[in-house]
Amino acid sequence: MKRYIKTIGLLILSLVAFSACQVGFVPEGVKEQKPLKSFQEVKWLRESLYSTLRGAESPGNLFLGDMQADLFHLTASDGNTYFPFYSWNKENLSSNDMIAAYFGSFATIIKDANYFIMRVNEMKANEELMKTLKEGEAKKLDTYIAEARALRALANYRLMCRFSKRYSDNDGQEPGIILIKEYDPLLQKTNKKRATQKEVYEWCLNELEEASNDIPNKDNFLADPDVLEQDGIPCYLIKDYCYAVRARIFLEMHRYQDAIKEVDRFISHYPLGEATPEGLKKLWISENSSEIMIKTYATQKVGRVYGILHGLWIYDNVNPNTGKKVQIEFSSPTWFPNQYLIDLYEKSMDPENPDDSKNDLRGLVWLEKTDGKHPGTNGFPVLYGEVDDDDVITFVSKFRGNPRLDTDTKRNRISYAHSTHLFDIAEAWLIKAEAQSWSGDWAAAKTTLEEFRKSRGLDEPLKASNQKEMMETIKNERTRELVGMGTRMTDLKRWGDPIDRTNKPLQEGLTKGQAATTVTKSYLDLKKDASDVMFYWEFPLQDRFANKELEHNWK
């Protein structure tokens, strides 16, 4: 019997090679470290940078940060792969290979970007070589360098979210990360000590603003016949992306007015989708929604990333009566949403407004229910261990994948894949609402959030009547919208909120019969204060060993 398993683990294992300490690593596209000799070599090197970006920014990689959080329960069949995250096992996580791979995926973007910038600048300084370029290619070199600057700023932001504590109230003077501004794999010219949080973020903000000057806007990008796009959605960076990452950073720095201004530079360029199930399916199923700012290029042959959380298992077996090979598919997720998360979509969180959340389209499209006897509610060939009576099991099917990327529609083998979204406009609405509320203008935040919620089928006015109630509403909305995107731990850290699983029980379908054996019962009541150092990760063991000047997180 041959078994095919598609889980987050496949992606994580594939990223282990991207260790930050592999100082001899050379970006793909050139066989060895040497000056670039043609525009074609520049394009190859650029593609390697986007290839690394595709995996690093995929939900499968980003979700690693949420395995410690409070929205999902871990299955007993995990095999101790993710249990150290779920149980907050400090000894294991201090030298965990998956954390090292996560760190390495973004450290590699920084290293590749710095290498790219160095080689292209060498090329620009070579007058004879520049004479060989065709019309327009010299300008594209400036655009490509700007892309690399923006991507290394993004990578620094991601590392700050997971490897530095909450942005401090003392003007960001707490340790951030090592700031590597040029290609320096052996750290011979780089300060080996961690820059302050403010130094890292201010440098990133400047990089993004300057990069935006040489990166085209969406209309100019799509007007170029040589660009790569799918469904009218750019597959390379555009100017608005620089503003979007800046907005994320301003929010982390608690610079709320700056975050609002940054969002207002681009939010009107991407209309919210139609408030129907079919409209929402355009976001993560057909992936042609007007809400997608940028997605990486993907076809059946290249660029696909595997979906997560649905737990697809495929068995090839032989029918003993006919002797023919048959394929059995069923879902056995590693992570089940807890009842708290399910209720966010299906039940009112406002006692004065019982209709709130009842018509949330995200609950209809992104959650799947099965009784173990029939395919799930979204029509996928999913089976599971039978549950008792009329109970159902619910799991997150948000990342089921784009059918156009299925490589075998009859057998669904190597299916359930999608592209990597670099930014969806829903996040901008949530950034703006949060920034408005924290800055004291909770009424404006209410207006912003009500407008966004209409696109998710929620027309009822919000009942929040003060800043505290508005912030709770915004927190719930971010949780609904960004589920599975690896934002939960970063959000809790930014809000200064603790981890508390005590009021987030198992969903009822997992407490009875056969299904009750599938979920681990330990750590259901785990609580961690917001000041716990494990809200952010320790640097990988190899980095701590190689750099004696690196200040550790978990002292």
Side-chain angles (χ1 to χ4, degrees), residues 240-254:
D240 289 342
Y241 184 69
C242 296
Y243 305 150
V245 179
R246 279 171 57 88
R248 286 172 172 170
I249 292 174
F250 281 132
L251 191 65
E252 290 299 318
M253 298 177 76
H254 318 301

Side-chain angles (χ1 to χ4, degrees), residues 30 49 143 162 195 245 409 444 484:
V30 287
L49 185 57
T143 298
R162 295 305 313 136
V245 179
T409 56

Side-chain angles (χ1 to χ4, degrees), residues 109-176:
I109 290 176
I110 295 170
K111 184 160 50 178
D112 284 9
N114 286 334
Y115 181 83
F116 181 90
I117 293 168
M118 177 187 73
R119 290 304 187 198
V120 176
N121 278 331
E122 288 176 348
M123 185 177 186
K124 290 176 64 178
N126 188 326
E127 295 182 5
E128 293 300 317
L129 189 56
M130 291 297 288
K131 291 178 182 178
T132 67
L133 300 185
K134 298 177 182 178
E135 183 179 356
E137 289 181 343
K139 184 177 180 180
K140 287 184 177 180
L141 293 181
D142 292 332
T143 298
Y144 297 168
I145 287 176
E147 289 177 347
R149 294 180 70 181
L151 291 179
R152 69 182 179 183
L154 164 76
N156 276 288
Y157 158 76
R158 289 294 191 194
L159 293 179
M160 285 286 290
C161 287
R162 295 305 313 136
F163 294 91
S164 181
K165 63 174 62 175
R166 182 179 185 269
Y167 193 83
S168 67
D169 295 328
N170 63 334
D171 199 27
Q173 295 307 302
E174 294 291 338

Side-chain angles (χ1 to χ4, degrees), residues 176-416:
I177 58 176
I178 295 176
L179 192 53
I180 305 176
K181 302 179 182 180
E182 58 184 318
Y183 185 66
D184 183 24
L186 295 177
L187 301 184
Q188 295 176 326
K189 294 176 285 185
T190 298
N191 186 346
K192 296 181 181 180
K193 294 183 179 181
R194 296 165 66 176
T196 66
Q197 295 171 327
K198 183 176 182 179
E199 287 172 336
V200 175
Y201 276 149
E202 290 286 5
W203 184 79
C204 290
L205 290 168
N206 183 68
E207 284 289 287
L208 290 162
E209 185 63 30
E210 291 189 1
S212 71
N213 294 327
D214 290 316
I215 295 177
N217 61 35
K218 181 179 179 180
D219 290 340
N220 290 341
F221 178 94
L222 295 176
D224 185 342
D226 296 328
V227 302
L228 201 60
E229 57 83 20
Q230 288 183 310
D231 303 306
I233 300 170
C235 295
Y236 295 113
L237 297 197
I238 55 175
K239 189 184 298 289
D240 289 342
Y241 184 69
C242 296
Y243 305 150
V245 179
R246 279 171 57 88
R248 286 172 172 170
I249 292 174
F250 281 132
L251 191 65
E252 290 299 318
M253 298 177 76
H254 318 301
R255 290 171 55 177
Y256 302 122
Q257 291 303 322
D258 288 325
I260 295 168
K261 291 177 182 178
E262 212 64 34
V263 167
D264 284 342
R265 296 172 80 174
F266 65 90
I267 193 171
S268 63
H269 302 165
Y270 308 90
L272 291 168
E274 180 185 355
T276 64
E278 291 305 314
L280 189 58
K281 287 179 181 179
K282 291 181 179 181
L283 192 56
W284 281 104
I285 297 180
S286 58
E287 296 188 288
N288 58 354
S289 172
S290 60
E291 296 185 14
I292 304 173
M293 178 186 289
I294 309 172
K295 63 179 182 178
T296 57
Y297 184 76
T299 67
Q300 289 181 334
K301 294 183 179 181
V302 299
R304 305 156 70 251
V305 295
Y306 291 123
I308 58 168
L309 295 175
H310 52 69
L312 175 68
W313 288 54
I314 304 176
Y315 280 91
D316 277 349
N317 212 336
V318 176
N319 186 320
N321 297 320
T322 64
K324 293 183 178 181
K325 182 182 292 187
V326 294
Q327 188 175 74
I328 302 173
E329 291 183 275
F330 69 98
S331 186
S332 180
T334 303
W335 299 93
F336 282 106
N338 57 31
Q339 195 61 49
Y340 167 81
L341 178 57
I342 296 170
D343 287 347
L344 279 180
Y345 296 102
E346 298 182 352
K347 293 185 178 181
S348 173
M349 304 304 289
D350 183 348
E352 297 182 10
N353 187 9
D355 292 327
D356 179 41
S357 298
K358 191 171 292 184
N359 298 314
D360 196 317
L361 296 173
R362 293 163 295 193
L364 298 174
V365 177
W366 293 349
L367 298 184
E368 184 161 347
K369 299 179 184 297
T370 177
D371 59 6
K373 308 176 187 69
H374 306 92
T377 53
N378 283 333
F380 294 101
V382 178
L383 298 175
Y384 192 75
E386 294 185 10
V387 296
D388 291 348
D389 303 323
D390 296 325
D391 289 328
V392 295
I393 295 173
T394 301
F395 55 94
V396 176
S397 59
K398 180 179 181 179
F399 305 107
R400 273 294 181 180
N402 186 339
R404 291 187 297 176
L405 301 181
D406 287 353
T407 56
D408 190 334
T409 56
K410 292 182 178 179
R411 302 184 65 184
N412 292 293
R413 177 175 292 173
I414 319 180
S415 299
Y416 308 124

Side-chain angles (χ1 to χ4, degrees), residues 192 543-552:
K192 296 181 181 180
D543 290 79
R544 301 187 330 251
F545 178 79
N547 181 5
K548 301 303 181 182
E549 297 182 49
L550 178 64
E551 181 180 349
H552 300 183

Side-chain angles (χ1 to χ4, degrees), residues 356 449-458 462 477:
D356 179 41
L449 204 59
E450 286 178 340
E451 182 65 26
F452 168 71
R453 282 162 54 90
K454 291 177 183 178
S455 69
R456 301 309 189 245
L458 301 172
L462 294 170
E477 204 61 47

Side-chain angles (χ1 to χ4, degrees), residues 30-150:
V30 287
K31 294 182 179 181
E32 58 182 298
Q33 294 189 18
K34 61 182 181 180
L36 301 173
K37 296 297 184 181
S38 68
F39 188 71
Q40 181 60 58
E41 286 190 356
V42 173
K43 292 197 293 183
W44 284 337
L45 202 56
R46 179 192 185 217
E47 288 302 321
S48 75
L49 185 57
Y50 275 91
S51 179
T52 305
L53 175 71
R54 179 187 302 123
E57 282 289 283
S58 70
N61 191 41
L62 296 177
F63 184 71
L64 189 70
D66 281 357
M67 292 182 182
Q68 291 173 245
D70 57 349
L71 301 178
F72 292 87
H73 288 305
L74 184 65
T75 60
S77 58
D78 163 58
N80 206 44
T81 303
Y82 307 123
F83 189 68
F85 291 88
Y86 184 70
S87 62
W88 286 56
N89 186 321
K90 190 173 184 179
E91 181 178 1
N92 181 288
L93 296 186
S94 66
S95 57
N96 188 277
D97 286 343
M98 287 182 284
I99 291 178
Y102 184 101
F103 183 92
S105 66
F106 292 106
T108 298
I109 290 176
I110 295 170
K111 184 160 50 178
D112 284 9
N114 286 334
Y115 181 83
F116 181 90
I117 293 168
M118 177 187 73
R119 290 304 187 198
V120 176
N121 278 331
E122 288 176 348
M123 185 177 186
K124 290 176 64 178
N126 188 326
E127 295 182 5
E128 293 300 317
L129 189 56
M130 291 297 288
K131 291 178 182 178
T132 67
L133 300 185
K134 298 177 182 178
E135 183 179 356
E137 289 181 343
K139 184 177 180 180
K140 287 184 177 180
L141 293 181
D142 292 332
T143 298
Y144 297 168
I145 287 176
E147 289 177 347
R149 294 180 70 181

